[in-house]
Each structure stands twice: as C-alpha cells, then as structure tokens.
Amino acid sequence: MILTSASAEARSLSERYTPTSPYRALNEFGVILSAEEGAVLEVYAKPSASGMKYFCAAAEFAQRFLRAQPSDRLVITRAEGPSTTRDGATSVLFDIVPRAEAQGLPSGGVTLSPRRVGENRSVNSGKSFCKPVDRRRDDD
C-alpha cells in the first residue's frame, strides 16, 4: 500500500526531506513529497535533465520510502518547469497510480519527455533508468 500524505511516516519524510535538503537519488536528483494537489513527488532537476533521469529518481524514492510496487505507475502531473517550492530550481511533479487503477492511462511511447503531462512508466521501468554517477577521474 502506498503511503498517504496524512500518515505519520509521510509526515516524517516531509520533515526529513525538504526543498532545501531533498533526498538525493542514485542519479543525484533531489526528491521530496509534494504538497501540490494531484501529486505525490516533486523531483528537482540537475543540468542536462532527461525524462529517464526524472523517472529514475521518482521510482527510487517511491519504492524505497512509499512502498510503491514495481507495477505501479509514475505519472507526470506537472511538466518540467520552475519549481514552486525552491527558488531557481526546475522540477517535475509525479503521482503514483496503483496498477489496478492504471487501466485508463496511455501506454508509454518510445520517447520519454519530462515536458508532457500524463507521461507515465511503471516504477520498475523507472528504476531501470538508474545508473550510478560515474565518479572516476579521467586519469584512473
């Protein structure tokens, strides 16, 4: 069961991960719980953000903290744009839709745009886009 925003666990997450100190996903994108209507997560961009990177961060947070199942859908509810919670930041808002309620969602296409409301992928698909940041030096 996905955590609801009213639960004690969700309140704890909201206090722990804030716009000024978000959760850092494997790809170093910031993630917080969203207070916006119709959204569960806000994912902050890094330079050269792509749809795959947003979905990776959202999937990691959703599965790790919100008990999202691999087949649950991450759905963009507000496309990439200026964040309303963090000055100067760019972000995307996501909802998490349980698989049983996802029948009416359009299927994902070949491209994955953070600029398209309704774009969606499964949590498992989002996790497949995660790659650790390469911290090796060129002279290694």
Side-chain angles (χ1 to χ4, degrees), residues 2-3 15 30 35 37 41 46-48 58-59 63 76 79-80 91 99-100 104 108 115 118 124 131 133-134:
I2 297 170
L3 289 179
E15 292 167 0
E37 184 75 27
L41 301 173
K46 291 186 66 69
S48 72
Q63 193 167 48
I76 293 178
E80 183 180 58
S91 68
R99 180 181 182 194
R115 295 168 195 88
N124 201 42
K131 295 179 185 170
V133 175
D134 187 356

Side-chain angles (χ1 to χ4, degrees), residues 29 48-57 76 80 92 94 112-115 119 121 126 129:
F29 276 44
S48 72
S50 70
M52 292 189 313
K53 291 179 181 181
Y54 280 110
F55 275 90
C56 163
I76 293 178
E80 183 180 58
V92 170
F94 288 89
L112 187 59
S113 175
R115 295 168 195 88
E119 187 80 67
R121 294 293 188 274
F129 301 136

Side-chain angles (χ1 to χ4, degrees), residues 73-138:
R73 305 297 288 188
L74 297 166
V75 182
I76 293 178
T77 60
R78 194 202 73 214
E80 183 180 58
S83 171
T84 59
T85 59
R86 190 170 168 189
D87 288 339
T90 300
S91 68
V92 170
L93 294 181
F94 288 89
D95 192 9
I96 303 169
V97 178
R99 180 181 182 194
E101 300 170 19
Q103 286 83 358
L105 293 174
S107 61
V110 175
T111 62
L112 187 59
S113 175
R115 295 168 195 88
R116 200 168 33 234
V117 171
E119 187 80 67
N120 68 91
R121 294 293 188 274
S122 69
V123 169
N124 201 42
S125 177
K127 294 269 303 193
S128 75
F129 301 136
C130 296
K131 295 179 185 170
V133 175
D134 187 356
R135 296 189 186 280
R136 291 179 295 171
R137 296 185 345 211
D138 290 334

